[in-house]
Amino acid sequence: MSRNEPLLVVDNITKHYAIGGWFSRDRITAVAHVSLTMSKEKPEILTLAGESGSGKTTLARMILRLVEPTYGRILYEGRNITGIRSREEQMKFMQNVQPIFQNPFEAFNPLKKLDSYLVGTAENYTAEENGSSAERIESALNLVGLTMREIRDRYPHELSGGQLQRVAVARALIASPSLLVADEPVSMVDASLRMSIINLFDELKAQHNVSIIYITHDLATAYYISDRIAIMQRGYIVEIGPVEKVLIQPLHPYTRLLRESVLEPGADPAWGEEITLSSLEKDEFSRQGCKFADRCDVRLRVCEIREPPYTQIDGREVKCWLYSEQRQDAAVS
């Protein structure tokens, strides 16, 4: 395996779900033709952002191998992880790519002591040359501001949500991963602790060379922590690039809508979990052309009939006819 291989390559990943029962032929495309790359040489924090139903969590679950893609490839350090079959290969992948979920109380069995989770993780993933299990556990806990003495013999309900989320992060770090996939990791944490976890992610990137995929509906924290941001809408990445460019000077009309809907850091934006499939037209997923056309105040005729291509502009990619040199030819053909 070449040392120059990217850390992660998502190559044309698509996921279809059947709707209307087992015998229905109706399909929803939850993730559509998504491609992105994360460098191995330069760790980064890449945010996936978008309203509910945009596909960001489905994409994350495919990267974690919790959901199988309908087609496309996901390469980790050059290895096609969609083709993993053996338990040994799966364990190796899980050591390198660790999840952090939204609700820490759902990540732990309420009847099981927390230290048993950490010990089990250390036994599964700690090699002898990397030090003892106890050392690895204490080191991981120290990184998140905890010690083994604070959690020994304690059950999940005996900790606050913020403490428990820190234990979840520590559990992931015991494996010494190179990539964390964090799905709304601070949405259920008190505001007073939210930024401490966000700052922890930044420290992991800067000091421990850990890359992070951060899924959120909070553009304020996304702007604070991210190197790049990918805006997702109805299964597609519609704009991706450096966070300063995408959020300060957004190109795609959908990105502009999201930014304009942000209230203040830590507040729930108006476009967040309130905009769901039930409050939008049911056929938006299957609509021809741009999925955002009916909600766009600058749409062109071609937007309603043809899917826009990706255009490279100003250091980012944007999926919008407004910026495509092909739009005149497409409109008349």
Side-chain angles (χ1 to χ4, degrees):
M1 186 179 297
S2 172
R3 295 179 60 186
N4 296 322
E5 292 283 1
L7 178 69
L8 182 75
V9 176
V10 176
D11 180 22
N12 197 35
I13 280 292
T14 296
K15 179 62 180 180
H16 299 310
Y17 285 110
I19 58 173
W22 288 100
F23 301 104
S24 173
R25 295 184 179 181
D26 293 333
R27 298 287 186 273
I28 279 181
T29 302
V31 173
H33 310 293
V34 165
S35 295
L36 56 85
T37 299
M38 298 182 75
S39 171
K40 185 177 181 180
E41 300 302 317
K42 187 178 180 181
E44 67 170 329
I45 298 176
L46 170 63
T47 289
L48 303 178
E51 65 193 346
S52 180
S54 63
K56 57 189 186 295
T57 293
T58 299
L59 176 58
R61 290 174 66 82
M62 286 191 286
I63 292 171
L64 288 167
R65 297 198 74 247
L66 299 176
V67 171
E68 287 292 324
T70 303
Y71 58 82
R73 302 184 304 161
I74 299 175
L75 308 179
Y76 176 79
E77 293 188 341
R79 170 83 178 180
N80 185 357
I81 65 170
T82 55
I84 289 177
R85 294 293 179 265
S86 72
R87 185 179 184 277
E88 181 180 356
E89 290 178 312
Q90 173 67 5
M91 291 293 291
K92 180 64 176 177
F93 172 75
M94 290 170 60
Q95 178 175 359
N96 289 309
V97 182
Q98 283 281 314
I100 299 171
F101 297 112
Q102 178 179 15
N103 187 346
F105 290 98
E106 293 181 356
F108 299 99
N109 185 330
L111 302 179
K112 188 174 179 180
K113 293 179 180 179
L114 290 168
D115 50 356
S116 66
Y117 282 98
L118 303 183
V119 171
T121 300
E123 290 176 349
N124 283 331
Y125 297 123
T126 301
E128 291 183 4
E129 61 269 21
N130 291 332
S132 70
S133 295
E135 290 172 344
R136 293 289 294 277
I137 292 170
E138 195 67 45
S139 176
L141 286 170
N142 291 165
L143 280 175
V144 302
L146 295 171
T147 65
M148 190 59 155
R149 184 169 57 182
E150 291 176 273
I151 69 163
R152 182 176 284 112
D153 293 328
R154 300 184 74 178
Y155 292 93
H157 70 272
E158 297 181 278
L159 272 65
S160 69
Q163 288 176 311
L164 198 58
Q165 189 65 296
R166 285 174 174 272
V167 175
V169 175
R171 182 188 182 189
L173 295 179
I174 289 171
S176 296
S178 53
L179 178 63
L180 293 177
V181 181
D183 189 358
E184 298 278 9
V186 297
S187 65
M188 300 191 69
V189 175
D190 291 342
S192 60
L193 295 172
R194 192 169 297 169
M195 290 311 299
S196 64
I197 293 176
I198 292 297
N199 287 329
L200 171 62
F201 288 158
D202 194 48
E203 179 184 344
L204 291 174
K205 181 197 74 171
Q207 299 183 22
H208 300 277
N209 297 320
V210 177
S211 289
I212 298 167
I213 296 176
Y214 175 58
I215 298 104
T216 187
H217 68 271
D218 183 351
L219 293 191
T221 60
Y223 181 76
Y224 178 80
I225 194 177
S226 307
D227 298 295
R228 288 190 297 153
I229 187 168
I231 304 297
M232 295 192 69
Q233 196 266 331
R234 290 297 178 252
Y236 291 89
I237 290 178
V238 296
E239 188 168 355
I240 182 172
V243 68
E244 294 87 356
K245 290 185 175 182
V246 173
L247 293 187
I248 298 301
Q249 296 179 316
L251 296 177
H252 199 284
Y254 178 72
T255 310
R256 290 200 292 269
L257 170 68
L258 301 190
R259 192 192 68 167
E260 291 165 3
S261 299
V262 172
L263 301 177
E264 59 185 47
D268 289 332
W271 55 268
E273 299 308 312
E274 297 303 315
I275 301 179
T276 64
L277 189 59
S278 61
S279 62
L280 298 170
E281 292 187 30
K282 295 283 188 178
D283 64 349
E284 190 169 281
F285 278 97
S286 58
R287 182 177 297 132
Q288 286 187 332
C290 176
K291 305 297 184 186
F292 189 60
D294 279 4
R295 291 193 276 161
C296 181
D297 58 5
V298 292
R299 65 182 178 272
L300 308 171
R301 171 58 182 156
V302 67
C303 301
E304 300 176 358
I305 57 177
R306 293 204 173 185
E307 181 183 320
Y310 284 101
T311 301
Q312 297 274 353
I313 181 171
D314 190 31
R316 61 190 118 167
E317 276 190 313
V318 59
K319 188 178 180 63
C320 181
W321 281 114
L322 292 174
Y323 307 98
S324 175
E325 295 179 355
Q326 307 172 37
R327 69 180 186 181
Q328 294 299 331
D329 292 339
V332 300
S333 62

